[in-house]
């Protein structure tokens, strides 16, 4: 069995949480609950990939970023954070990775 890449995993989390409205997402045989943020009711899921804790967070459409603009236009946008930094996002099934990849600081 091949291990999915980071890109594939992020797309899977995005698809399960935002497209299928799943109550939990499955990553690497583990199940992680999808919660809603207290203020905005945005979907959020904390999961582990390759030993890294990652948080997927539905894009807030009310901010000024271009990602928020996409969310306002009806696209499904999820940001991914690790160790307090944005590492990637997925928009309509396409991944954008920011800066250096996770796991490269070993």
């Amino acid at each position: 069995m091949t291990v999915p890449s980071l890109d594939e995993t992020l797309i899977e989390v995005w698809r399960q949480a935002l497209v299928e409205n799943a109550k939990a997402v499955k990553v690497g045989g583990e199940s992680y609950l999808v919660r809603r943020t207290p203020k905005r009711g945005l979907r959020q899921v904390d999961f582990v990939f390759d030993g890294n804790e990652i948080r997927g967070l539905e894009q807030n459409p009310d901010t000024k970023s271009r990602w928020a603009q996409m969310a306002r236009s009806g696209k499904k946008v999820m940001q991914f954070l690790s160790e307090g930094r944005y590492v990637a996002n997925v928009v309509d099934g396409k991944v954008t990775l920011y800066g250096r990849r996770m796991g490269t600081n070993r």
Side-chain angles (χ1 to χ4, degrees):
M1 187 173 109
T2 60
V3 176
S5 69
L6 175 62
D7 294 32
E8 292 166 333
T9 300
L10 298 180
I11 291 169
E12 266 305 295
V13 169
W14 167 85
R15 186 180 58 75
Q16 293 175 56
L18 296 190
V19 178
E20 298 173 357
N21 289 314
K23 299 276 185 251
V25 299
K26 288 188 175 36
V27 176
E30 296 288 323
S31 195
Y32 300 93
L33 281 179
V34 177
R35 299 186 315 278
R36 294 257 179 193
T37 61
K39 273 192 190 157
R40 308 280 316 154
L42 301 170
R43 284 167 284 197
Q44 168 180 306
V45 59
D46 295 322
F47 62 98
V48 176
F49 175 80
D50 194 24
N52 294 291
E53 290 183 12
I54 303 174
R55 168 170 290 168
L57 181 61
E58 183 177 7
Q59 174 67 51
N60 180 349
D62 297 334
T63 63
K64 291 188 168 29
S65 74
R66 66 187 181 111
W67 308 113
Q69 188 177 2
M70 289 179 186
R72 282 194 299 276
S73 77
K75 294 189 182 301
K76 296 184 184 310
V77 182
M78 183 169 261
Q79 298 283 353
F80 292 91
L81 302 92
S82 183
E83 297 175 351
R85 303 216 324 258
Y86 287 98
V87 293
N89 73 32
V90 176
V91 180
D92 287 352
K94 292 185 184 62
V95 177
T96 301
L97 292 166
Y98 304 143
R100 66 187 176 102
R101 288 180 166 267
M102 287 182 312
T104 54
N105 56 358
R106 289 184 190 146

